[in-house]
Amino acid sequence: MACSAPQAASKRKRVMFKQRPFLIETLTAIGLIIAPFVLPYLGFAPNTVNRILVWGLFGLGFDILFGFTGLLSFGQSAFYGTGGFVAAYLLTQTGFSNVLGALVIGMIAAAVTGYLVGLIALRRTGIYFAMITVAIAEVFFFVEFNPLSAWTGGENGLPGVPMPSFNLGFTTLEFTDGWSLYQFLALCYFVGVVIALRIVRSPVGAIFSAIRDNPVRAAAVGHNVHGYKLTAFVIAAAYAGFAGGLLGVLQAFMPPDAFTFDTSGQLVMQTAIGGRGTLFGPLVGAAVWLFLQDFLQAALGLGAAWKLVLGVVFVLLVCFLRRGIVGGLADLHHRLAGKRTRPPQRQLAEPVVAGQTAAGDEPMRASASVPPPMHRPAVTDSSSPPLLQASGLTKRYGGLVANNNIEFSVRRGELLGIIGPNGAGKSTFFKMLTCEIGPSSGRILFDGRDITGMHVTDVSQLGLTKSYQVNQLFTGLTVRENIVIAALARLRGKFRLDLLRKLDKVEGLEKRVRQTLELVNLTARADTPVSELAYGEKRRLEIGLALATSPSLLLLDEPLAGMSPRERTETVKLLKSIGQNRTMIVIDHDMDALFELAERVTVLQEGRVLVEGTPEEIRKSAAVQEAYLGGIHGVLDA
Amino acid sequence: MKRLMIEQPSRLAVSRRQLLQTAAGLAGASMLPAGLMPRAFAEDRPAVGTFPAGASGSSVFIGITVPRTGTYALQGEDELKGYELAVEHINSGNDLIKQISPKTTKGVLGKEVKFGVADSAAKPNEAVQAEQRFITENKAILMTGSTSSAVAVALNKLAQREKVLYVTGISGSNDTTGKDCVRYGFRQCFYGQTAAAAIGPIIVKTFGKNKKAAYLTPDYTYGHTVTKSMTDYLATAGWTTATDQVAPLGAPDYSSYLLNIANSGADVLLNVNWGHDAVLSTQQAKQFGIFDKMKLVVPYQTPFLAREAGGDLMSGVYAATDFWWTLEDKYPLAKMFVAAFEKKYGYKPEWGANNAYMQFALWAEAVEHAGSFFPPDVIKSYEEGRKVQSTVGEVYFRKEDHQLVRPVIIVKGKAPKDMKNKEDYYDVVEIVPGEGLMQKPDAFGCSLGAYT
Amino acid sequence: MISWPNFVSQLFNGLALGALLALISSGLTIIYGTLGVLNLAHGAMFMLGGYAGYVGYQYSGSFVAAVAAGAIFVMILGVVMERVVIRHFYHRPNEDQLLVTFGLGICFVEIVRLFFSSQSLSVPPPPLFQGITNLGFMYYPTYRLAVVGIVAIALGVLFLLLYRTRLGMIVRAGIEDSVMVDSLGINVDRVFMVVFGIGAMAAGFAGIVNAPVVSLTPGVGDDILVETFVVVVIGGVGSFPGAILGGLIAGEIISITSMFNPSYAYVMLFAAMTLVLVVRPHGLLGAAGRE
C-alpha cells in the first residue's frame, strides 16, 4: 500500500516516499546486501534464503494481481510451472546454455500462457474466477504429466539444470551454490522489485487499485476493466514464470511439484501472512513460512504438525490482521508517526467541516476558480441536431415493463431535469442511456452516433457519463486518487499500457485533478481516504468522479439524495456552477431544487413520459398535479 | 549491487570473522560471507562436495529422506528401520557388519555415524530440498533414501552436482543406473530389467506361450521401465499386451482402469503398482471380479503387500523381490539380520529394510576399504568390483553403472491354510543369480560423469 | 475401437461417480447460493466425514452408526464453524471468505494428519453389501452399486427439504434474491446457520458413504474439491438441479474419457467447463444473478 500510489500523499509515509522517490529501492538494495551477513545468525541457511527470494519474486507478480487488482487466483502454479519447465527444458534437453536467456524465454512463455488462460478465466469475476483458476492449476498439472511428459519428464521432473554463468570477456562469472547463487537471485529480485514498483506507481497501477475497489465504477468512468485485469494477470504470470525458472536453477532440478495446487495454495497463504498489497508481503510471508517449517520441525520436533501451526497462524491473520505482517507494521508505524503529525492534519481538515456547516459560501469560492463559463449558444440554437436522442426506448424485465417506448432528446448546452415517483423507471432510463444495461428495444443516438448496445466504457470515452444514485466510489483510495482515476480515463483513453510511466508524468493530469477538486470543493480534503469523508462530501466526490472525465453530457442520478436541507442548498449551487458550461440531465425527487436548476423537465410515470416542458409548464400541468405532483410534493415538504 | 564479487570455490582458509573484516574493508562491495567455506585440511586432498568439512569432526553425518506421508509412507518407515539398525550396528561394531565389512571396528574410519531424517512424501522436490539442507547445514557426507525412482533420479543428479555420495533406497527403475546414472550414485536393489528377466521364464512356464497380458502401471520412471522390461521379455514368448493402464501415483480409485482391464480379454494381470497403490488396486481388482478371469503377477513386490492386501489375495501369486526372510535358511548373514531386526522391531523384516541395511553396510565397507572419506577414493573403492558378503550371498558392484550384481528372489504367495506362522506369506521358489539377468552396462545409456 | 461391454460398464461407473459428485456439489452450491460464501473447506469436510465415520465404526462396529457419526459430526462442525468464524465474514470481501475457508480446510486436514497419521485407513462396507454383483454385462462391487442408491435417496431427501419445506422456500428465495429474503422479516441469521449445517452434512455424509470405496487419507478431499468446482461451474452456481446435472455430466466425462485414456479425464473435464463458460457463462441451469 505504501508504495501503491505516490501521487496520494495522504499518509505520512507516502509523503516521505514522494520526497525521496528511490527510498524503497535503496532500502531493498541495502537489505539484500546485508542479508547474507545477518541471516545466518538468525538460523537461516543460504538455501533457505535463496528459496525465500524465489517465492518473493513469484509473489511480487501475484501481489500485483491479488493485492493491487483484487483478483484472487489459486492457479499461479500453472505459470510457475510453465516458465520453470520451458527454461529447464531448454537448459537440459536442447543444449541451450544461456541461463538468463532461458529464464527470459520461460518468462515469456508463461506470460503468453497467462494471456490465453486469462482470456477464459477473466470471463468471470469473484468466486467463479477463483474456482476457474483452481481448475486451471489442476489441469496444467495433469497436462504436464501426460500429453507433455516427454518434455517435462512427468513425475521425474527435469534434473540437471545448470547454474548461471556469464562470460564477461575478461572473466567468467560463475554462480555456484549457496551464497554465491544468492547474489544472482538477489539481483533478480531487486530488478523485480524495481519493475513492480514502477508498475504500481504508473497510471496502470492506479487503475489496478481502482478495479480492486470498484470494478463497476472503473468501467463506468471509461477504463477497459477487462483489458487491465488481463494485464495484471499477464504480469503475474510473467513473474511466476521467471521465478519458476529460478526454482530449477536453484535446485539443479525442475520438480513436477511446481505445477501442483499446493504451490498455488502456499503462495496465497504466504502472501496473506506477509501482507497483500504491500509487494514485500510475499517475501516476508515466505520467510515466516520457511523459517517456521524448519524451526517447528527441527527445533521443536513437531514433525508433520508444522503445517497445522502455519494453518492456524494463517487463519488468525486473515481474521484479525487483514493486511498481514507488513500491513500491520505499516499501520503501527502510521499510528506511531501519526501521534506526531495528526494535529496538523486535523487542522487541515477541520476548517472545511466548519466552513461547510457554518456558511454556504464554499461553492461560490469554488466556482470562482473555474474557467469563466462560456456563452451557451447551444441553448438558444435549436437548429443544431440534439446531442442525445433516444427513440422508442423500452426495457422489460420478464413481464415487468420498466421503461416503455420513451422518446427523449437533449440539445447541446441544455440542463434537463427528470422527475417521477419511485418506480417510475428513472434510474433504469439512465442506465440505458449510459449503456450499463441494454434496452429491450429502441435506439440511442449520442452526438450523431448510434450507441445502442455499446459498452459503458466506450460510451464514457465518447463523453457520456453519470454519477450514481448510490455512491460508487473507490473506497480504499483518497479523494485525490479517486479523481485521478476518473481523469486518467479521459487523458489516456480506455486502455493503454504505459506500465513504466510515472503517474505525475501524465500530461495535464495534475491540472485537471486540481480543477475538479476545486469544482466540487474538496481541495482541502484531497488527501483524505474516502472512508473518512462525511456523507455530503462523498456525494460531491461522486459528482466529481463523473466530472473528471470531462463529459460532454453529464447525467446526475439523484445528486441530492440523502442530504440535509443545508447540504441541498449548497449542492444546488454547486450543480448550477457546474452546469454553466455543460450539458446535463438531473434526476431528483426534490421538485423545488430541480425546477430551480433545469430549463426543461420531463416527468416519468410508470415507465412512460407523462409530460415534458419548462418548469413553469410542469408546475401548471394539470396532469402532473393530479397524477403526481401534489402527493410527492407534500411528502417532501413534510 | 553492480559490483558483485563472485566467490570462486576456493581452498582459501578464511574464517567468517576474517571475511567479515575484509568485507567491512571493502566498503560498498557486496562481498559475501564465504565463512561457510571449509577450513583447509591437513590431508592433502582438494575439497570435493562436503569433503573435508563433513569428515573433519569426530562424527560423520548421513542425510536420510524417506516418505513418511503419502502412498509410500509404510514402506518409508520400514526402510528407515533398516537404516537405524545399520547405523546402530556400525557404531557398535556389530558382528553382522564385520561380516560384510571386515575392516570395520567401530563407526566408519573410527568416526561415529550420525544421521538426520526428513519426510520426502515420495516427492522429488521435497527430497531434494531436504538433502540440500543436510548438505549445507550438516555437511552430510552421504545421502540416502527414496522409495520412488523419481526421487532416486533427482537425488542422483543432486549428488553429482554437489559431489556428495548418494546410495539409493528403493528404486526399481532401469533409469536409476541406466540413462540417469551418475558417478556419485550406487544401487543395491533389483530393478525392472532384472525383475523381468528373473520372473519372465516362470510366468511363461506357468501360463504358457502366446498369452495376453494386462498391465497396471504407475505413471513414472519406475512403472514405465518395469512395464517395458516385462513386455519386452514376454514378447519373446509370443505374449501380447491387451491393455496398459497407466495411473498416477496415489490414485484413490482404480475403478475406471480396472473396468478397462476387465473388458480387455487378458489372461494375466501384471500389477506394477507399488506401495499402498499396489494394495488398493489389488483389492479393488478383486472387487471388480477380475481374478475370476485372469491371474495376478507382481513383477516388483512391495513390502507388506501380502499383509496389507489381506485374505488369500496373494495366494498362488508369483512375485519378484529383493529379499524374503525365509532366506535365513540358506544364508547365514540373512539369519543374523532377520534375528537382529526382529529383536529390535518385533516382526520379520521385509526387503525395504534389508535393502536400507545393506546400502549402509556396503558403504561402510567401501569407505573402510578406501581408508578415506574423500569421495573419488570411495567411488573408486566401490568400482573395484570386490566380492562382498551380503544377506543374499556374494555380491559386487558393476563399475560401469554402479549397479550391484545380486540375485533376484522369486516368491509365490501361500494359501492361508499353508502358512506356518503369521508372517509366512511366501515360498521362495527360485533364487536367480544376478549376472545373467542384467543388460549390457551401456544398454540403457548410462554415462557416469566426472569424479570431481 | 470401442468395446461395447466396456462402454456400458464405464457408463455405469460414471453414473456412480457422478451421483457422489452431485451430492457433494449440492452441499457446496446451497451454501454458496444462500450465504454467498464459497466454502473452500468443503473438501476437508468430505474428508472429515470419512474419518468421523471411521471412528464411529471403530467404536460401534456398525456401518449405520458410522454413517450417522460422519454426517452428524460434520454437520455440528459446520454449525460451529458458521457461528464462530464464517458469520464474521458475510460483510467482508469475497477474497477474505475464500482465504479463511481455505485456511480452515488446511487446519482440518492437518489436524486429521496429526491424529491419524497419513496412513490410509479403510472402512469395510456393511455386510449386506459386501461382495460382487453380476450385472450380466459386468461384475460390479455390490457396495458401489448400493452407493448409487444411497446417494439417490440422500439427494431425494435434500430435494424434499429444498422444495417442500418452509426452510427450503427461504433457501431458494435466498438464492434468487437475498434482498427479498431480508425484507420478508425472516430470521436470516438462523437460516444461514442451518443451511451451512446442511451443506456441511451433505459433504460429511458423502465422505463416509464413499469411505469403503476408496481408502481414507487426509488428502482425500482435495481432489474432490476441484471436481466439485467444475461440477458447480458446469451446473450453475447456486443451483441445486444444476449440481445434480453437473455431477452426472462430470462423472460420465471422467468415465468415458477413462475408457480411452484415464489420464486425460481431467483435461476433458476442464475442456467441458471451458465450453460451458463460453456458451453459457452462468452454467447450464444457473441464474444470471449471483456472481
Side-chain angles (χ1 to χ4, degrees):
Chain A
M1 205 54 207
C3 29
S4 72
Q7 83 279 3
S10 83
K11 301 199 168 148
R12 268 76 41 201
K13 205 167 173 188
R14 291 188 190 172
V15 177
M16 201 168 71
F17 290 151
K18 196 174 185 183
Q19 286 163 346
R20 282 172 279 168
F22 292 110
L23 185 66
I24 299 181
E25 285 89 337
T26 314
L27 287 177
T28 309
I30 293 171
L32 289 171
I33 290 170
I34 63 167
F37 296 98
V38 177
L39 291 179
Y41 295 97
L42 299 174
F44 282 96
N47 254 306
T48 311
V49 178
N50 288 346
R51 231 165 259 287
I52 291 170
L53 282 179
V54 172
W55 278 112
L57 193 62
F58 188 10
L60 279 174
F62 178 66
D63 203 30
I64 289 176
L65 182 67
F66 173 42
F68 286 88
T69 320
L71 293 168
L72 176 51
S73 159
F74 282 93
Q76 294 309 101
S77 57
F79 315 116
Y80 190 58
T82 302
F85 273 101
V86 168
Y89 179 79
L90 286 174
L91 291 169
T92 59
Q93 311 291 316
T94 63
F96 190 90
S97 64
N98 183 340
V99 173
L100 194 62
L103 289 171
V104 170
I105 294 172
M107 179 178 83
I108 292 167
V112 171
T113 313
Y115 177 77
L116 297 174
V117 168
L119 287 179
I120 297 168
L122 290 167
R123 291 177 70 88
R124 308 305 305 275
T125 57
I127 303 279
Y128 266 101
F129 174 75
M131 287 199 283
I132 294 166
T133 55
V134 170
I136 286 169
E138 288 288 339
V139 161
F140 268 72
F141 182 64
F142 282 93
V143 168
E144 183 249 329
F145 264 75
N146 294 295
L148 299 184
S149 59
W151 287 276
T152 63
E155 177 101 34
N156 307 321
L158 289 175
V161 181
M163 290 291 181
S165 65
F166 298 96
N167 191 345
L168 300 182
F170 57 93
T171 179
T172 302
L173 298 183
E174 293 267 7
F175 296 90
T176 55
D177 209 5
W179 290 122
S180 157
L181 184 62
Y182 171 84
Q183 301 170 88
F184 177 69
L185 294 175
L187 187 64
C188 291
Y189 183 76
F190 181 72
V191 172
V193 165
V194 170
I195 294 173
L197 282 169
R198 287 297 290 259
I199 290 174
V200 300
R201 287 165 174 171
S202 73
V204 177
I207 295 162
F208 284 168
S209 302
I211 292 171
R212 174 193 62 204
D213 281 353
N214 194 336
V216 173
R217 190 57 186 265
V221 296
H223 294 298
N224 178 355
V225 169
H226 185 265
Y228 285 115
K229 278 183 178 174
L230 196 54
T231 305
F233 203 77
V234 171
I235 291 171
Y239 269 96
F242 196 84
L246 286 178
L247 178 75
V249 170
L250 170 66
Q251 306 197 132
F253 166 59
M254 190 61 214
D257 320 36
F259 269 115
T260 56
F261 175 68
D262 286 350
T263 302
S264 303
Q266 190 174 342
L267 180 70
V268 169
M269 288 175 75
Q270 286 175 353
T271 304
I273 289 172
R276 63 185 109 155
T278 62
L279 287 189
F280 293 93
L283 184 80
V284 172
V288 169
W289 182 287
L290 295 181
F291 180 77
L292 281 182
Q293 181 176 4
D294 280 1
F295 180 73
L296 296 173
Q297 276 195 110
L300 297 187
L302 278 179
W306 67 271
K307 210 172 171 195
L308 175 61
V309 175
L310 274 170
V312 171
V313 168
F314 170 73
V315 170
L316 290 176
L317 280 175
V318 173
C319 286
F320 299 110
L321 201 58
R322 247 195 111 227
R323 302 209 303 131
I325 295 170
V326 175
L329 288 176
D331 290 347
L332 193 70
H333 173 81
H334 290 153
R335 202 168 301 162
L336 294 178
K339 276 186 185 139
R340 274 179 281 123
T341 44
R342 183 137 293 219
Q345 212 236 352
R346 275 272 159 75
Q347 280 164 15
L348 262 178
E350 266 156 15
V352 180
V353 179
Q356 205 182 14
T357 45
D361 60 344
E362 294 283 325
M364 303 309 291
R365 221 172 58 200
S367 58
S369 59
V370 177
M374 298 183 297
H375 265 310
R376 299 164 67 190
V379 177
T380 47
D381 184 11
S382 52
S383 60
S384 71
L387 180 60
L388 179 94
Q389 185 164 28
S391 49
L393 218 50
T394 301
K395 183 71 192 176
R396 281 184 215 92
Y397 289 108
L400 189 85
V401 184
N403 277 195
N404 194 354
N405 203 21
I406 293 180
E407 302 287 331
F408 184 85
S409 68
V410 190
R411 285 201 189 80
R412 222 171 280 278
E414 259 188 324
L415 209 167
L416 285 188
I418 295 179
I419 56 171
N422 275 328
K426 304 186 294 290
S427 287
T428 305
F429 179 57
F430 261 22
K431 280 183 188 163
M432 280 197 284
L433 291 187
T434 54
C435 291
E436 274 175 88
I437 55 174
S440 305
S441 62
R443 251 161 46 103
I444 307 161
L445 288 176
F446 176 67
D447 213 1
R449 184 198 296 242
D450 188 347
I451 62 167
T452 321
M454 275 173 81
H455 194 270
V456 61
T457 301
D458 298 314
V459 174
S460 175
Q461 284 291 342
L462 289 176
L464 168 55
T465 193
K466 76 165 196 182
S467 79
Y468 287 72
Q469 180 183 1
V470 178
N471 288 335
Q472 290 282 343
L473 306 174
F474 305 111
T475 46
L477 306 181
T478 64
V479 170
R480 187 197 305 278
E481 287 167 327
N482 267 268
I483 300 293
V484 163
I485 300 299
L488 282 174
R490 174 45 53 96
L491 295 170
R492 291 170 63 255
K494 73 171 182 169
F495 186 70
R496 199 163 156 184
L497 284 178
D498 43 2
L499 286 166
L500 299 180
R501 178 155 64 154
K502 284 193 177 134
L503 196 53
D504 49 23
K505 296 271 163 62
V506 178
E507 215 167 304
L509 178 67
E510 200 273 328
K511 185 173 165 222
R512 183 176 296 259
V513 170
R514 181 163 40 78
Q515 284 176 349
T516 310
L517 284 170
E518 281 168 6
L519 205 54
V520 294
N521 187 29
L522 285 170
T523 309
R525 301 284 275 164
D527 297 322
T528 311
V530 166
S531 55
E532 291 174 21
L533 290 183
Y535 180 73
E537 292 172 322
K538 283 187 186 164
R539 287 309 285 168
R540 295 213 297 276
L541 180 58
E542 174 62 45
I543 295 165
L545 276 184
L547 274 176
T549 64
S550 311
S552 47
L553 173 57
L554 175 61
L555 312 185
L556 300 169
D557 194 351
E558 301 202 25
L560 305 178
M563 285 188 169
S564 67
R566 182 176 287 137
E567 284 171 331
R568 274 166 200 272
T569 324
E570 280 173 38
T571 311
V572 170
K573 278 185 197 166
L574 170 72
L575 292 179
K576 271 189 181 167
S577 70
I578 292 170
Q580 274 170 352
N581 49 354
R582 284 186 178 75
T583 317
M584 272 179 14
I585 312 174
V586 183
I587 288 181
D588 216 285
H589 281 308
D590 188 334
M591 297 288 152
D592 292 335
L594 204 59
F595 288 167
E596 193 183 333
L597 275 171
E599 292 146 6
R600 210 149 56 85
V601 173
T602 301
V603 181
L604 284 185
Q605 193 194 19
E606 289 172 1
R608 296 166 182 276
V609 177
L610 183 69
V611 69
E612 201 183 44
T614 64
E616 277 312 298
E617 287 165 3
I618 299 294
R619 253 191 241 281
K620 285 173 189 156
S621 155
V624 175
Q625 290 213 341
E626 191 153 322
Y628 161 72
L629 198 55
I632 288 293
H633 208 207
V635 169
L636 282 174
D637 283 348
Chain B
M1 291 309 289
K2 283 172 193 155
R3 296 172 55 196
L4 280 179
M5 292 187 58
I6 305 311
E7 164 196 322
Q8 296 293 337
S10 71
R11 293 167 217 166
L12 285 174
V14 193
S15 77
R16 180 180 292 174
R17 180 169 302 145
Q18 280 171 323
L19 199 101
L20 283 172
Q21 285 163 352
T22 320
L26 294 167
S30 69
M31 184 81 180
L32 291 163
L36 306 164
M37 277 280 104
R39 211 176 278 268
F41 214 57
E43 208 176 336
D44 185 27
R45 304 266 190 222
V48 173
T50 50
F51 183 89
S56 58
S58 62
S59 64
V60 291
F61 188 92
I62 304 178
I64 302 175
T65 57
V66 292
R68 311 185 79 171
T69 56
T71 316
Y72 294 166
L74 188 61
Q75 287 73 22
E77 291 291 348
D78 181 54
E79 199 174 36
L80 186 56
K81 292 190 176 96
Y83 289 130
E84 283 170 354
L85 188 67
V87 169
E88 194 183 304
H89 282 186
I90 290 171
N91 285 337
S92 66
N94 184 287
D95 257 3
L96 176 53
I97 284 289
K98 286 181 176 165
Q99 297 271 336
I100 299 165
S101 169
K103 291 185 182 167
T104 292
T105 50
K106 275 188 179 183
V108 177
L109 296 180
K111 290 178 197 295
E112 190 195 350
V113 175
K114 293 185 169 172
F115 64 92
V117 183
D119 177 14
S120 72
K123 290 180 183 162
N125 194 27
E126 306 275 330
V128 168
Q129 282 184 29
E131 292 292 5
Q132 246 175 354
R133 227 173 32 238
F134 287 136
I135 290 170
T136 48
E137 288 171 32
N138 304 94
K139 301 281 165 288
I141 199 83
L142 176 71
M143 303 185 285
T144 189
S146 76
T147 51
S148 150
S149 292
V151 171
V153 167
L155 290 182
N156 255 356
K157 301 285 176 176
L158 182 74
Q160 189 67 25
R161 187 177 89 165
E162 301 286 340
K163 300 285 180 290
V164 176
L165 281 177
Y166 167 62
V167 294
T168 56
I170 294 168
S171 169
S173 170
N174 291 342
D175 294 344
T176 311
T177 50
K179 91 177 161 50
D180 294 315
C181 75
V182 289
R183 183 69 63 187
Y184 277 75
F186 296 89
R187 174 161 66 181
Q188 193 277 148
C189 66
F190 76 131
Y191 55 101
Q193 162 68 27
T194 54
I199 203 170
I202 292 171
I203 296 176
V204 174
K205 199 172 85 190
T206 311
F207 303 109
K209 291 191 171 194
N210 307 320
K211 296 285 177 183
K212 282 187 279 181
Y215 292 87
L216 203 45
T217 306
D219 190 8
Y220 69 107
T221 176
Y222 154 72
H224 298 177
T225 60
V226 171
T227 297
K228 177 157 194 327
S229 290
M230 280 315 306
T231 39
D232 287 352
Y233 183 89
L234 291 176
T236 62
W239 283 46
T240 52
T241 301
T243 179
D244 178 13
Q245 293 291 310
V246 181
L249 203 61
D253 179 16
Y254 288 88
S255 57
S256 319
Y257 307 99
L258 292 170
L259 286 173
N260 289 341
I261 288 172
N263 291 299
S264 69
D267 307 303
V268 175
L269 167 62
L270 289 108
N271 191 351
V272 185
N273 273 326
W274 209 80
H276 185 68
D277 290 348
V279 176
L280 192 66
S281 55
T282 307
Q283 286 173 337
Q284 292 189 354
K286 166 104 177 141
Q287 290 173 10
F288 279 88
I290 284 177
F291 299 141
D292 297 351
K293 298 179 191 165
M294 52 191 91
K295 296 294 174 205
L296 175 66
V297 168
V298 177
Y300 201 86
Q301 187 243 1
T302 298
F304 308 114
L305 177 60
R307 202 176 307 226
E308 290 258 290
D312 59 350
L313 262 180
M314 293 301 290
S315 166
V317 172
Y318 285 102
T321 187
D322 213 43
F323 180 80
W324 181 246
W325 65 268
T326 56
L327 288 174
E328 66 180 12
D329 301 339
K330 186 170 163 62
Y331 301 109
L333 264 57
K335 196 173 183 69
M336 290 168 78
F337 172 71
V338 172
F341 188 93
E342 194 173 14
K343 182 160 172 261
K344 188 168 162 77
Y345 298 106
Y347 65 92
K348 307 277 190 200
E350 299 239 359
W351 80 263
N354 175 260
N355 172 59
Y357 185 94
M358 281 310 302
Q359 279 286 40
F360 275 9
L362 291 170
W363 170 73
E365 194 277 337
V367 175
E368 293 283 355
H369 186 83
S372 162
F373 286 102
F374 183 58
D377 287 355
V378 179
I379 293 170
K380 282 169 190 153
S381 166
Y382 267 114
E383 287 174 347
E384 266 182 26
R386 264 186 328 285
K387 297 266 168 48
V388 180
Q389 288 305 317
S390 84
T391 50
V392 289
E394 223 173 43
V395 295
Y396 65 94
F397 275 99
R398 191 155 80 163
K399 80 170 196 299
E400 295 89 346
D401 61 358
H402 293 188
Q403 171 65 47
L404 191 76
V405 180
R406 51 149 306 135
V408 174
I409 318 298
I410 306 298
V411 295
K412 184 181 180 186
K414 283 185 166 185
K417 63 177 167 50
D418 299 330
M419 286 167 59
K420 294 195 189 83
N421 62 52
K422 69 176 170 56
E423 288 172 284
D424 188 22
Y425 291 106
Y426 297 106
D427 275 325
V428 173
V429 285
E430 199 173 342
I431 299 167
V432 189
E435 274 96 347
L437 305 176
M438 290 165 78
Q439 81 286 9
K440 287 207 169 56
D442 57 353
F444 294 148
C446 171
S447 159
L448 284 169
Y451 286 94
T452 55
Chain C
M1 183 191 69
I2 295 172
S3 136
W4 287 107
N6 197 19
F7 181 73
V8 177
S9 309
Q10 294 284 11
L11 216 55
F12 189 79
N13 200 40
L15 176 71
L17 180 63
L20 197 75
L21 281 177
L23 180 58
I24 309 167
S25 306
S26 58
L28 188 77
T29 214
I30 58 175
I31 291 178
Y32 179 73
T34 314
L35 282 65
V37 173
L38 181 71
N39 180 18
L40 289 184
H42 203 69
M45 292 178 141
F46 170 81
M47 179 276 297
L48 280 173
Y51 274 89
Y54 173 82
V55 173
Y57 181 81
Q58 292 298 312
Y59 277 101
S60 67
S62 146
F63 187 74
V64 176
V67 170
I72 291 170
F73 174 80
V74 176
M75 185 191 76
I76 293 170
L77 180 84
V79 169
V80 171
M81 182 173 148
E82 197 274 341
R83 284 293 90 177
V84 176
V85 180
I86 306 298
R87 192 158 62 104
H88 304 290
F89 280 80
Y90 291 142
H91 299 292
R92 286 177 59 169
N94 279 342
E95 287 75 31
D96 286 14
Q97 299 167 357
L98 292 172
L99 289 177
V100 79
T101 53
F102 179 68
L104 285 172
I106 284 179
C107 290
F108 293 157
V109 170
E110 296 305 322
I111 287 171
V112 167
R113 207 189 291 287
L114 200 60
F115 282 101
F116 296 89
S117 90
S118 294
Q119 267 192 37
S120 58
L121 305 171
S122 55
V123 178
L128 183 64
F129 299 129
Q130 267 166 13
I132 306 168
T133 300
N134 188 348
L135 294 177
F137 58 91
M138 70 187 289
Y139 289 99
Y140 208 67
T142 310
Y143 181 72
R144 283 182 194 246
L145 211 55
V147 167
V148 180
I150 296 171
V151 169
I153 292 168
L155 284 172
V157 170
L158 261 183
F159 174 82
L160 290 178
L161 204 63
L162 286 174
Y163 287 83
R164 296 284 182 271
T165 66
R166 190 178 138 74
L167 175 80
M169 185 204 77
I170 297 165
V171 170
R172 280 185 297 126
I175 291 171
E176 271 147 37
D177 186 357
S178 51
V179 182
M180 190 179 99
V181 174
D182 290 342
S183 61
L184 285 175
I186 292 155
N187 185 346
V188 176
D189 215 36
R190 223 187 62 209
V191 171
F192 279 12
M193 185 183 79
V194 172
V195 168
F196 205 92
I198 292 174
M201 189 169 74
F205 182 82
I208 176 61
V209 167
N210 194 42
V213 174
V214 299
S215 55
L216 216 47
T217 61
V220 75
D222 299 354
D223 290 340
I224 288 284
L225 184 69
V226 177
E227 285 169 24
T228 53
F229 284 173
V230 175
V231 167
V232 163
V233 171
I234 289 178
V237 173
S239 162
F240 177 67
I244 295 175
L245 181 66
L248 294 178
I249 290 175
E252 292 301 344
I253 289 174
I254 291 175
S255 292
I256 301 296
T257 314
S258 293
M259 199 168 69
F260 301 100
N261 187 344
S263 42
Y264 280 76
Y266 256 72
V267 180
M268 291 307 292
L269 201 58
F270 178 76
M273 183 183 89
T274 310
L275 186 71
V276 169
L277 276 174
V278 171
V279 179
R280 274 190 72 95
H282 297 286
L284 295 179
L285 301 178
R290 284 249 192 206
E291 180 95 334

